Amino acid sequence: MPAHHEARRRRLATALSEAELDAVLVTHLLNVRYLSGFTGSAGALLVFAGGDAVIATDRRYEIQVVQESPDVEAIISREENDVLTQRARERGAARLGFEDLHISVADWSKLSELEASVDAQWHPVLDRLDGLRRVKDEVEIKALRRACQISNDALEAVYTRIQPGVTELDVARWIDDALRDGTPEGPGFDTIVAAGEWGAVPHHQPSGYVIAAGDFVTIDFGAKVDGYHADMARTLLVGGEPNEWQKTLYDLVQTAQAAGLDALSPTASPQEVDRAARQPIEDAGMGEYFSHGLGHGVGLQIHEAPFLGASSTDKLDVGVPVTVEPGIYVPGQGGVRIEDTVVVHEDHVERLTTFTRDLLTVG
Ligand code: ZN
Ligand code: ZN
């Protein structure tokens, strides 16, 4: 494991040199984890332009930090930013980067005070650190594959239990239990179950609504493995045959998703991919009901770069996992969403969530 963290710190070191920084103070805990392996709830990491690093955390994590980050010197202190800034100055580092996207006003005010007392200058690193996480290494893709497999298995285990008379909350609980059976981290985010008219609310929280025959039920969920998030969604039909509007919506979303997946490649722009999926829905006059972007990157965060949307300026690449999740939401009627997590490779797109995309009738 440490070899991967060291490789990531070397990539950061290159970015630091390009920005003419001597070191960077990493305060965002996800970035601390990404660069060192440390998973505690308090701590900061100082990475030098040479790629070596020092971590600071408090006494609660004295044992854990040595286990998780054996190749990084650990300092035990509650004043993480202070001790690491002092350490930077002892090493002669004067041009210091800080995570302007992830720091509170209070912490920034303390760092500013240090600037004068230790004679260093702070420089914002902008999105350089988060940008490092866009392309995933093999260890990360392996964790995502596993998280997606567990998610897929959870839906396979649960979907036949959905029938008229059960509630959205029942379905959410079954999914969450199945995810916990698969991974100690369980669900990576709050499971969405939206049935009947609630299907028109993309992020509806599961309620006591009793599912009836003829309802569409959208389930959006994902397991977490080693901090990495799976994300998938399916819409199922409960009981009987789909009526006309249900058939139309489902076919359109399925067509849109296939178009989005086809458009994905390492060199495609996220705007183009979004456009490819949106076109068939707009052509059918339902563009206004597809009210969100086509997808997003997944990793240590459930939503992270690159974002697939009409105004996205992000980039795809080899080794970038993204979701492809078109949806149509008609107020007063219901909705359909089909979402998969995939990885963009050099010459193909690998689907990590493989549950059927054809309309399934249950109950
Ligand atoms: Zn989702
Ligand atoms: Zn998603």
Side-chain angles (χ1 to χ4, degrees):
M1 208 61 177
H4 299 285
H5 300 123
E6 199 197 328
R8 294 170 194 167
R9 291 197 298 273
R10 276 203 302 270
R11 281 171 57 217
L12 172 58
T14 306
L16 290 184
S17 302
E18 282 164 6
E20 296 182 336
L21 294 173
D22 301 323
V24 61
L25 179 65
V26 184
T27 48
H28 186 38
L29 285 169
L30 287 184
N31 287 334
V32 171
R33 177 176 190 166
Y34 177 74
L35 293 163
S36 72
F38 178 63
T39 64
S41 68
L45 182 75
L46 179 71
V47 181
F48 290 96
D52 56 323
V54 187
I55 193 167
T57 183
D58 64 62
R59 289 203 75 93
R60 292 172 297 168
Y61 296 111
E62 202 167 1
I63 296 170
Q64 184 179 328
V65 71
V66 176
Q67 283 174 341
E68 292 181 334
S69 312
D71 60 337
V72 176
E73 182 199 345
I75 302 174
I76 302 301
S77 166
R78 283 173 62 93
E79 302 296 328
E80 297 107 356
N81 294 350
D82 286 42
V83 295
L84 291 178
T85 306
Q86 295 291 350
R87 178 58 68 92
R89 290 305 288 131
E90 285 161 28
R91 288 269 305 265
R95 288 179 56 84
L96 306 179
F98 74 100
E99 287 194 280
D100 51 311
L101 295 180
H102 303 289
I103 192 162
S104 69
V105 174
D107 282 348
W108 167 240
S109 129
K110 280 193 210 158
L111 283 189
S112 308
E113 284 169 26
L114 279 176
E115 193 168 44
S117 67
V118 301
D119 188 24
Q121 309 96 45
W122 291 110
H123 300 271
V125 296
L126 310 172
D127 58 0
R128 282 190 189 91
L129 263 81
D130 292 348
L132 282 181
R133 302 205 329 254
R134 187 176 55 97
V135 173
K136 269 64 178 176
D137 57 40
E138 258 315 305
V139 172
E140 298 180 283
I141 290 184
K142 225 172 128 185
L144 274 172
R145 275 197 195 106
R146 179 96 190 101
C148 287
Q149 181 67 52
I150 290 164
S151 309
N152 219 74
D153 291 350
L155 188 55
E156 291 283 1
V158 163
Y159 82 94
T160 52
R161 296 174 68 185
I162 302 169
Q163 54 183 297
V166 307
T167 67
E168 291 173 341
L169 278 168
D170 290 330
V171 178
R173 195 179 62 247
W174 297 335
I175 289 280
D176 290 353
D177 285 350
L179 296 177
R180 283 193 195 94
D181 286 344
T183 163
E185 290 154 277
F189 59 94
D190 289 346
T191 296
I192 295 164
V193 178
E197 288 186 20
W198 290 116
V201 181
H203 279 191
H204 173 64
Q205 284 190 341
S207 70
Y209 172 79
V210 179
I211 295 170
D215 278 354
F216 264 154
V217 181
T218 298
I219 310 168
D220 190 332
F221 64 101
K224 185 155 81 163
V225 170
D226 295 338
Y228 287 81
H229 295 77
D231 193 1
M232 70 180 288
R234 289 293 183 273
T235 298
L236 310 172
L237 179 67
V238 181
E241 291 294 309
N243 58 34
E244 276 313 308
W245 74 263
Q246 288 174 322
K247 249 191 261 176
T248 305
L249 250 63
Y250 201 92
D251 286 351
L252 270 177
V253 173
Q254 201 174 12
T255 303
Q257 207 224 11
L261 288 168
D262 277 352
L264 274 177
S265 80
T267 52
S269 84
Q271 293 187 9
E272 279 165 31
V273 181
D274 179 88
R275 170 55 33 209
R278 203 168 292 279
Q279 199 65 53
I281 296 176
E282 284 186 357
D283 290 348
M286 306 206 84
E288 64 173 307
Y289 298 128
F290 179 9
S291 49
H292 53 72
L294 178 65
H296 52 87
V298 286
L300 288 171
Q301 275 176 303
I302 176 64
H303 299 119
E304 60 181 44
F307 291 93
L308 308 182
S311 59
S312 175
T313 54
D314 290 340
K315 276 163 69 180
L316 289 158
D317 234 319
V318 174
V320 172
V322 288
T323 68
V324 177
E325 50 175 309
I328 302 180
Y329 313 95
V330 185
Q333 206 162 33
V336 175
R337 178 162 66 254
I338 304 175
E339 173 178 30
D340 286 303
T341 298
V342 304
V343 182
V344 178
H345 294 292
E346 182 72 52
D347 53 1
H348 72 291
V349 171
E350 178 190 6
R351 295 174 164 183
L352 303 189
T353 45
T354 53
F355 192 91
T356 183
R357 295 158 190 81
D358 292 335
L359 180 57
L360 274 186
T361 301
V362 293

